[in-house]
Amino acid sequence: MNVHKRKIFNPASGAIVMALGVFLQGAMNHFLNQTAGRWFVFAYLLLSIAIYSKLFRQVFQKGFLTSLLKNPVNSFVLGSWIAGFSVLSIVLERYLPLLHFMVAALAVVNSLLWVMFLYICFMNFKQLWARPAFHATHGVVLLSAVATQSVVILWNELFPSLPDIFSLSAFALGGLFYIGGLILIFKRYLETDWSLTEDWTNTNCIIHGGLSITGLAIVSTKMFQGEILLYYWMLVLIIFCLVEGLEVVRAIKRIRQKGWRKGVFSYNVSQWSRNFTFGMFYAFTMVMHENASYKKHLYDFHEHFLSVWAWVVLIALVIEIVLWGGEKVLKRNAKVKQGIY
């Protein structure tokens, strides 16, 4: 019975809050107006409270945080908690403005958590650089950049009067985290033997997701204008196609080896990272499209792209929710058979 009570709630579950929030922040605008969207935001808020209450309750369980922090790769999942809080705050601010003071307080708490997370990032990067080929580094390390850029966007959304030095410094730090993490990922795959079907992880989609959220941070801080950002968007699109093209090859290989069910339609919490990155690319493109400074560049193309990509984001999200629900049903049925319920 004690084992059942102390079961581990996956610390990467912050990615669920990230993915759903980015959809509500971006692609949902293609399907629903703000009034209708509030009902989904209420459901999202309740789900987020449930997820974070389990995550933070687990932090105080003896040995949990210590064992997580001992792993210099997996401990980066804490970045999904920071990014999840940032996205949640932005969604609540836009859809439920009456909660402004509560959201502002949440943003302050999240900023303090981010400062503590920075210490973890520095320690982790130090370990990974010391022995780059020893650890199976993958895209989760890029959550250091995602979390940092999410805080930059959060500050510009809720605290626009904050001195620019804070946002610019955090933005630069996020860029360094991305470059450092990407180099470590490349070193892992270039210097060790690996299999595309088994060793290429779902979290590697953050390679392009990290670029998308950085682009969103660029627009929110008004750091670059016009053609520079256009070229950056095209770079993100190219990287997106390369990474997801590799994912298609991986999926085909897994289907041939394991069949459809085990190959591509088995649930894993890391899959939410793909929903987040797809949604973030939409959000980045949408904000560019709506900004007057960029309307003379590819305006018509972005108009059509967003109308198509919104459906891609929605379908991917529905598939993931179905897989998630199916996994819950399977686990519950297994417990019923064991007499736990």
Side-chain angles (χ1 to χ4, degrees), residues 68-124:
L68 178 62
L69 295 180
K70 281 183 179 179
N71 189 316
V73 175
N74 290 341
S75 53
F76 278 100
V77 300
L78 295 174
S80 69
W81 302 14
I82 308 296
F85 269 135
S86 295
V87 175
L88 173 62
S89 300
I90 292 170
V91 170
L92 293 178
E93 178 70 11
R94 292 183 180 179
Y95 282 89
L96 305 173
L98 292 177
L99 300 179
H100 172 74
F101 290 106
M102 184 194 80
V103 173
L106 178 61
V108 171
V109 171
N110 192 40
S111 299
L112 295 175
L113 291 174
W114 171 71
V115 172
M116 290 187 283
F117 177 62
L118 288 183
Y119 175 77
I120 297 172
C121 290
F122 289 134
M123 294 300 99
N124 287 340

Side-chain angles (χ1 to χ4, degrees), residues 27 42 45 59 106 120 176 192-193 201 210 214 231 239 252 260 272 313 318:
F42 276 119
L45 174 59
V59 166
L106 178 61
I120 297 172
L176 291 175
T192 61
D193 295 328
T201 65
T214 298
Y231 293 139
I239 301 300
I252 293 172
W260 286 90
W272 288 99
V313 175
V318 169

Side-chain angles (χ1 to χ4, degrees), residues 197 202 250-266 271:
T197 56
N202 293 315
R250 174 176 176 252
I252 293 172
K253 287 179 174 290
R254 287 178 64 86
I255 291 169
R256 289 175 178 173
Q257 291 180 13
K258 304 182 179 185
W260 286 90
R261 180 78 175 88
K262 292 184 177 180
V264 294
F265 289 126
S266 57
Q271 293 162 351

Side-chain angles (χ1 to χ4, degrees), residues 296-332:
K296 62 182 179 179
H297 303 291
L298 293 179
Y299 182 83
D300 292 335
F301 174 77
H302 281 162
E303 185 81 20
H304 295 298
F305 175 82
L306 288 169
S307 64
V308 173
W309 197 248
W311 283 100
V312 174
V313 175
L314 176 63
I315 292 170
L317 186 62
V318 169
I319 291 173
E320 194 60 34
I321 291 173
V322 170
L323 292 177
W324 184 29
E327 182 75 6
K328 294 289 185 183
V329 171
L330 289 175
K331 287 184 176 180
R332 183 176 181 84

